[in-house]
Amino acid sequence: MKILVPIKRVADPDNANKIRISPGGDRIETAGLEWKLNPFDEYALEAALRLTEDGQKSKERTGEVVVVTLAPKEADSTLRSALATGADRAIRIDAEDDALDGRLVAKALRAIVLKEQPDLILMGKQAVDGDNNFVGQALAELLDYPMATFAATIREEDGALLVSREVDGGTCTLRVRLPAVVTVDLRIVAPSSVYSRQTDPSFKYNDGVRFAPLPAIMKAKKKPLDVVPLADVVPSLDLASKYHRFEPPAQRKAGVKVASVSELVDKLANEARVL
Amino acid sequence: MSKILVVAEQAQGKVKSATWSAITFAKQAATLSSGSFDILVLGASASSAAKELTGFGAGEVRVCEDASLENYLAERYAPTVAAVAQGYSVVCATASSFGKDLMPRAAARLDAAYAGDCSGVSADGGQLRYKRPMFAGNAFGHLTLGTQVQVVTVRQSEFGVAVPSGGVSAISTVPLTPPGKAAERVEFISMDQVQSARPELSDAQVVLSGGRALKDKFFEVLEPLADQLKAAIGASRAACDAGYAPGDYQVGQTGKIVAPKLYLAVGISGAIQHVAGMKGSKTIVAINKDPDAPIFQIADYGLVADLFDAVPELTSALKARA
Ligand SMILES: Cc1cc2nc3c(=O)[nH]c(=O)nc-3n(C[C@H](O)[C@H](O)[C@H](O)COP(=O)(O)OP(=O)(O)OC[C@H]3O[C@@H](n4cnc5c(N)ncnc54)[C@H](O)[C@@H]3O)c2cc1C
Ligand SMILES: Nc1ncnc2c1ncn2[C@@H]1O[C@H](COP(=O)(O)O)[C@@H](O)[C@H]1O
């Protein structure tokens, strides 16, 4: 199986409470924040590796994993770490972050899919900077491919995937025939979430994502990384969404500590009046 | 003057409560732009759901009823949504898992720009301007969309339940737009509903959430208190990942967004991703044994205690009051 994994680097989500808005409110200042692979894309990459191996022999790849990002040159280090983790090839569509919106990203990815012809496009359900939750579904439509969003488990079948999805009220299971788009949710990296056809159904992965061993980091420097200008893959560079202003959220005023359960009940009943 | 289309959400011919928020948004957007709104409902028994939608001031309730729409699949719904949307300036739905799955797909079909999970709308020189949370709620962006049709999803916790406004909207039918090849390659297998007699997390007045600290005593400890409070039960990601609670209970940036009257966080540290999903709550209570837990920075009332003592004690105290 050949899998394309679109990945995005984002300002480290664990530092998101330190993001600053420029004095005029026209920009979000990312300077000084650490960059990190979008966690959902990290999970998508892990899922892609699980689908292209026998879990018991995770050093041998049984398929190809290609990562692609739309980003400026600084993102090459993100691509290199994905290569070190196990991806075979990387593509960077050269673009400044503020020259992009979800609609343009989906169009560019469509062009890459048409060229690469993967069996599966596996990606995060959302990038945790913009929190848009858009690109996967849009890409599936542009390709006229079936999709399974918010995937919690994936089981490979003959030419198809059985995907259980986290939806309001429970779990929805779909079967998609390849080629298809799947977007992943948090639980996709649990020990029993992803099974390729080679992996024994009783096999259990370690919880979470794998880390690149040191020799792989060296080897990743030699893996192919192609750069494509954005203008070569989209019909127009025009953006259809425009942010005019940013503002910080309203701060909650600091509360009080109560000394006992009875004081809590008293406050809830007589001060907050919520009981 | 905007013409707005609300895509309603229904199951087995009954309107889902998420829909009322999208209607509230549409009313606001219509008022701001001296426009009007219609409602589209799709499904195998959409016409019975349509009857529930006629009292909200919509110009028309448009119904697409077809057996092929029995189980929701974006591949089957998006073509009709996009075809109907052609006549409108804004198409909206609530950002439930249905809205988040369907609307981007419909937007791409229309080559439309998209604003997801909006928390507010205003007018700016004849244009609608959307406000939406980003970076786990640590910033709000104000944006405009530049395509002929704009596609929007709205946050249920920020747009209240629409109230009937009298009058009876006309009901009309729209034909099914045949789906593309994608639909032939996707098959609905099952929907495993988490059975619960409790209120739905997204529109509950009281939410009681538990974290990793509850371990496999999650329900044993929380249910009696939830019963007393008539609360919906929520959870942190750590509690869901560990299997103490179903994934669908997760509150946060990447789970459900809630804004109840009263939110109780029990054994939850207060990571920014969790806080992003509940800091709009009116009153927040935290019970945690670590006095420095970040959750106390946003809690109105904090109790430093072992939850395994404090929760049963709170349950009995409330019982005694009842
Ligand atoms: C991409 C991404 C998305 C995420 N999305 C979400 C999301 O939507 N929602 C979410 O919740 N998280 C989310 N997270 C995870 C988040 O960062 C935290 O890891 C998670 O919220 C922690 O859960 P917790 O508070 O239950 O566990 P912990 O952080 O382990 O906290 C447990 C707390 O329990 C307290 N405690 C322990 N024992 C007791 C006791 N006996 N009595 C009282 N208190 C006790 C401890 O003091 C501690 O504060 C996300 C993370 C990432 C990377
Ligand atoms: N600039 C980008 N480059 C590559 N992939 C992206 C980019 N932006 C978004 N994506 C992909 O689309 C998914 C959803 O992103 P979003 O719709 O922005 O929340 C992400 O998890 C990525 O897989």
Side-chain angles (χ1 to χ4, degrees):
Chain A
M1 174 145 55
K2 176 172 175 179
I3 305 179
L4 184 72
V5 185
I7 63 177
K8 185 184 191 191
R9 64 161 187 14
V10 297
D12 184 346
D14 291 326
N15 284 327
N17 49 356
K18 300 198 190 99
I19 69 161
R20 281 178 302 117
I21 290 162
S22 65
D26 59 330
R27 255 175 325 117
I28 289 181
E29 313 261 24
T30 44
L33 293 180
E34 266 175 77
W35 295 100
K36 200 172 169 176
L37 181 54
N38 175 35
F40 287 102
D41 299 347
E42 204 181 347
Y43 303 160
L45 176 59
E46 172 65 27
L49 294 172
R50 290 186 186 183
L51 283 172
T52 51
E53 69 189 12
D54 171 346
Q56 246 131 5
K57 298 182 227 148
S58 67
K59 285 196 183 72
E60 294 163 34
R61 314 257 36 99
T62 60
E64 189 185 9
V65 175
V66 181
V67 289
V68 56
T69 194
L70 286 88
K73 173 136 185 63
E74 296 89 270
D76 282 355
S77 59
T78 307
L79 292 173
R80 289 287 171 208
S81 34
L83 292 171
T85 312
D88 299 284
R89 257 183 331 115
I91 303 167
R92 182 168 60 81
I93 302 170
D94 188 37
E96 292 303 318
D97 296 308
D98 54 12
L100 297 171
D101 64 10
R103 182 165 159 272
L104 207 59
V105 171
K107 287 181 185 183
L109 291 176
R110 171 179 181 270
I112 299 298
V113 170
L114 294 181
K115 175 155 178 290
E116 293 284 334
Q117 298 284 326
D119 302 295
L120 173 65
I121 302 102
L122 196 54
M123 55 205 289
K125 76 165 180 179
Q126 85 195 57
V128 299
D129 48 3
D131 285 334
N132 287 303
N133 200 324
F134 174 79
V135 172
Q137 298 89 311
L139 176 61
E141 176 61 34
L142 295 181
L143 292 162
D144 197 8
Y145 281 8
M147 70 184 191
T149 54
F150 325 141
T153 71
I154 303 174
R155 200 166 295 266
E156 186 191 0
E157 299 176 335
D158 191 11
L161 300 175
L162 193 65
V163 182
S164 74
R165 311 170 50 232
E166 284 192 18
V167 298
D168 296 345
T171 308
C172 170
T173 304
L174 302 179
R175 177 177 288 117
V176 287
R177 302 203 68 80
L178 302 175
V181 175
V182 173
T183 77
V184 303
D185 216 320
L186 298 168
R187 256 70 67 186
I188 199 71
V189 293
S192 309
S193 290
V194 180
Y195 288 93
S196 71
R197 284 213 292 163
Q198 300 88 293
T199 302
D200 188 295
S202 65
F203 179 78
K204 284 200 175 19
Y205 277 93
N206 289 329
D207 198 10
V209 300
R210 68 195 67 191
F211 293 101
L214 212 49
I217 298 175
M218 299 310 291
K219 260 191 8 217
K221 295 193 174 130
K222 299 204 185 73
K223 289 186 178 175
L225 190 167
D226 294 326
V227 180
V228 185
L230 178 61
D232 287 9
V233 288
V234 289
S236 147
L237 295 172
D238 293 343
L239 294 183
S241 49
K242 180 171 167 44
Y243 281 90
H244 302 268
R245 194 163 62 80
F246 298 94
E247 64 179 294
Q251 292 301 320
R252 282 191 80 93
K253 69 168 173 49
V256 296
K257 289 235 172 81
V258 293
S260 65
V261 165
S262 54
E263 189 187 345
L264 175 62
V265 173
D266 176 60
K267 295 267 192 205
L268 290 178
N270 302 315
E271 196 175 86
R273 298 177 185 281
V274 287
L275 290 185
Chain B
M1 234 189 51
S2 302
K3 265 192 88 183
I4 297 155
L5 180 69
V6 175
V7 180
E9 182 173 351
Q10 64 87 38
Q12 276 95 46
K14 278 195 58 74
V15 176
K16 292 245 199 153
S17 60
T19 305
W20 311 129
S21 297
I23 294 178
T24 298
F25 164 84
K27 285 187 167 186
Q28 285 181 19
T31 307
L32 285 166
S33 59
S34 323
S36 60
F37 74 97
D38 293 340
I39 303 174
L40 170 65
V41 57
L42 308 92
S45 346
S47 50
S48 45
K51 295 190 193 103
E52 286 180 67
L53 295 165
T54 55
F56 293 90
E60 257 188 276
V61 176
R62 312 186 63 176
V63 184
C64 179
E65 188 166 87
D66 193 278
S68 69
L69 302 176
E70 166 88 55
N71 295 303
Y72 162 75
L73 288 170
E75 292 82 349
R76 296 194 177 277
Y77 277 51
T80 300
V81 171
V84 175
Q86 303 280 359
Y88 293 84
S89 37
V90 180
V91 187
C92 67
T94 299
S96 58
S97 55
F98 165 84
K100 289 195 281 197
D101 189 66
L102 172 64
M103 299 304 271
R105 188 147 191 150
R109 206 175 163 90
L110 290 157
D111 195 22
Y114 179 76
D117 209 16
C118 296
S119 60
V121 59
S122 58
D124 174 45
Q127 270 203 87
L128 289 173
R129 205 181 250 218
Y130 308 103
K131 175 181 176 184
R132 57 179 304 275
M134 308 166 76
F135 291 92
N138 286 289
F140 284 89
H142 295 260
L143 77 161
T144 50
L145 303 178
T147 47
Q148 195 155 20
V149 185
Q150 309 179 358
V151 179
V152 172
T153 61
V154 303
R155 207 167 243 212
Q156 189 170 353
S157 62
E158 301 290 328
F159 290 92
V161 174
V163 280
S165 48
V168 183
S169 316
I171 296 184
S172 63
T173 58
V174 294
L176 181 80
T177 300
K181 285 203 191 66
E184 295 162 18
R185 301 216 306 273
V186 57
E187 186 190 343
F188 173 90
I189 305 293
S190 63
M191 173 71 202
D192 296 316
Q193 211 94 31
V194 177
Q195 293 302 338
S196 168
R198 298 190 186 286
E200 264 187 57
L201 200 45
S202 305
D203 49 23
Q205 294 283 313
V206 182
V207 173
L208 172 63
S209 285
R212 192 201 310 268
L214 281 140
K215 307 232 169 63
D216 45 10
K217 300 257 174 358
F218 189 93
F219 286 103
E220 191 184 316
V221 171
L222 293 186
E223 290 222 278
L225 181 55
D227 289 341
Q228 277 310 307
L229 291 164
K230 298 196 178 50
I233 296 185
S236 71
R237 174 193 176 180
C240 297
D241 281 6
Y244 309 146
D248 154 70
Y249 280 40
Q250 184 182 310
V251 171
Q253 178 194 16
T254 59
K256 291 227 167 52
I257 311 294
V258 301
K261 229 170 56 188
L262 175 61
Y263 187 91
L264 298 96
V266 174
I268 291 179
S269 59
I272 57 156
Q273 294 93 348
H274 186 79
V275 169
M278 46 65 85
K279 72 175 168 195
S281 307
K282 192 164 156 275
T283 299
I284 298 175
V285 172
I287 300 177
N288 197 303
K289 70 175 182 191
D290 172 7
D292 297 323
I295 191 77
F296 288 126
Q297 292 165 19
I298 59 143
D300 299 287
Y301 303 109
L303 177 63
V304 180
D306 189 315
L307 72 90
F308 294 103
D309 301 328
V311 172
E313 199 185 327
L314 180 56
T315 310
S316 334
L318 293 175
K319 239 184 224 153
R321 276 174 48 94

